Amino acid sequence: MSSAPSSLTPKPTRFLDAVRRGVLVVDGGMGTQIYERGVLFNVNYEELVVSRPELVLRIHEDYVRAGAQVVETNTFGANRVRLARHGYADRVREFNLAATQLARKAMGDRGYVAGAIGPSGLVLAAFGEDDRARVRDAFREQAEALAEGGADLLLIETMRQPEELLLAIDGVRRAVGDALPIVAGVSVDADLTLSDGTPVADIGARLRDLGCNVIGVNCSDGPQVVLAAVEKLLPLGIPLAAIPNAGIPRRVDDRFIYVSTPEYFGVFARRLCKLGVRLIGGCCGTTPEHIRRMAAAARMEASAAAGACEDAGPLWVGVSDSSVPPEPPVMVIGQRPVATAEKSKLASKIGKKFVVSVEVNPPVGVDPTSAIQAAKMLVTGGVDVINIADGARAQARMSNLALAVRMQEELGVETLLHVCGRDRNLLGQVAHLLGAHALGIRNLVVITGDPPKMGDFPDATAVYDLDSIGILRLASRLNAGIDPGGKPLGGVTSFFCATGAEPAALNYEREFERLKLKKRAGAELIMTQPVYDPVVLDRFLKDAEPLGLPVLVGILPLASHKNAEFLHNEVPGMQIPKDVRDRMQRAGSGPAARKEGVAIAREMLAAVRNRVAGAYIMPPLGRYELALEVMDGIV
């Protein structure tokens, strides 16, 4: 008997397939949204699916518009034990059916409905077997109603007592068997343990062994705690969920206010995606705006998944496969792409000499004189190319394109232009690249870009229509003479495309898989983040060798012990060994510390001098002369 067509694949199966493919965004806090819209805490919120369905539906719809691909039913406390306290014990089925239908009406076929199952509210420590059976049956009854209502998955959440969590899973299994996926989420304290002291990693292993399809952490004390807990679950090798609340609420003028901003959530969503978390969303205190920010991070992860298609596949992604436009052609008759070595002076040097690139940032104000003078000094000292960041750390600076053109015209130096996905949508990115090519820019280093929360204007909108893989694919198409829709340009661009890599990435496997996708998307050169551990760099260079891409090793001379500690503890992808930090501490401060930082950088560069195509030097704090000190006698 033949299998059913993919269009008829049951939603539960489609949900698990989607989880395996990439990130899905879960909605935010239902209860706090109800509260914010004028319903006080003395009302049973689960009953509102019957008495105020339009309110619940509107909240669901707001989350879907914000980018949620999974909406939770308003059934967190819709089990018999909790409802009995409000006199609704006999309305379990009614509430759960109504809640599922409202969630489905809001989501339609665009995503998935998660049947939400919260704790009973009882302390089980002193319970006998009969009481435990009563709690288990309450979960079973609720799960049956949610399944009957058409939920695509069951989400057991905010469990603090291990024994209650296990009873919930038992009850759910009795109700649905393996017919619906189970996502199991716990809430932990600052020590990353449950109420009885069980470490999150231990309960995670138990949930995996019980056959839960996704495990994770929700609520807790905000994003930092959830992130730390999820890191403990990574070694379990099972899809993970991270759904934090918006921090610990404060009472202001007789109202509870959550203080974690949507921008802050966007930053943590980026970090969760980089770890490989598959379900990200918000719990108490999170709003549609929080979810909108998280959805931007999810779009970048989805772009990486889309990169697994053929090189000519789509540049952009949507909620479902049906949103992807037809595959455009990869060549235009009569137009010949430019050979790599002919694209730029930099491209022609790779493999023939040890290439040095030094980063010079655009000014914060209107006067580029100091940056141009720094570039002149570096070129006189033997630097091959000046690379210019694109709003690094989301700071408001002069356009790097403008500075690059000034440098090329006034100094005759070749530049390497950073291009990030934060500030431009697809149309803007096309215009930016075509304009750069018309102005003589030939070298690009493509990155995703730091989120606005890190910079001067945290309320600025992040775009991220394309991540680094998407921009590389765009540049490759322009090099082939076609626009994103497959229409001929009337000529070809000749961009030489570099890409970034983090040898010390926390989720190294994911980082390397993305690097493979970047090569397929058109990357011709790898530029690494700074590396201070020879073992880490050796692993990366060995793993990268089969890719056949030249590597410029990142070198950032440390300026002080404080600088070293900041990079090690606060900058993702940076690992500075303790012996290096100890050396910086012994060096003290000022010129002596900078001298030691240069010595460490020189040692690192000398160790790999014959294994890489060149160096990518990032002078700290605008001290460009340190780049020449690092080069002296080695290059």
Side-chain angles (χ1 to χ4, degrees), residues 354-360 387-389 416 418 445 447 500 526-530 551-557 605 614-619:
F354 192 86
V355 173
V356 177
S357 171
V358 177
E359 184 169 300
V360 176
N387 73 76
I388 310 174
L416 178 57
H418 289 224
V445 55
I447 58 175
I526 298 170
M527 300 173 68
T528 78
Q529 284 275 58
V551 176
L552 299 190
V553 62
I555 300 291
L556 195 166
L605 182 56
Y616 164 32
I617 303 177
M618 293 154 266

Side-chain angles (χ1 to χ4, degrees), residues 206-219:
R206 184 74 183 275
L207 295 174
R208 177 197 60 189
D209 295 343
L210 286 172
C212 293
N213 302 99
V214 182
I215 64 174
V217 183
N218 77 291
C219 205

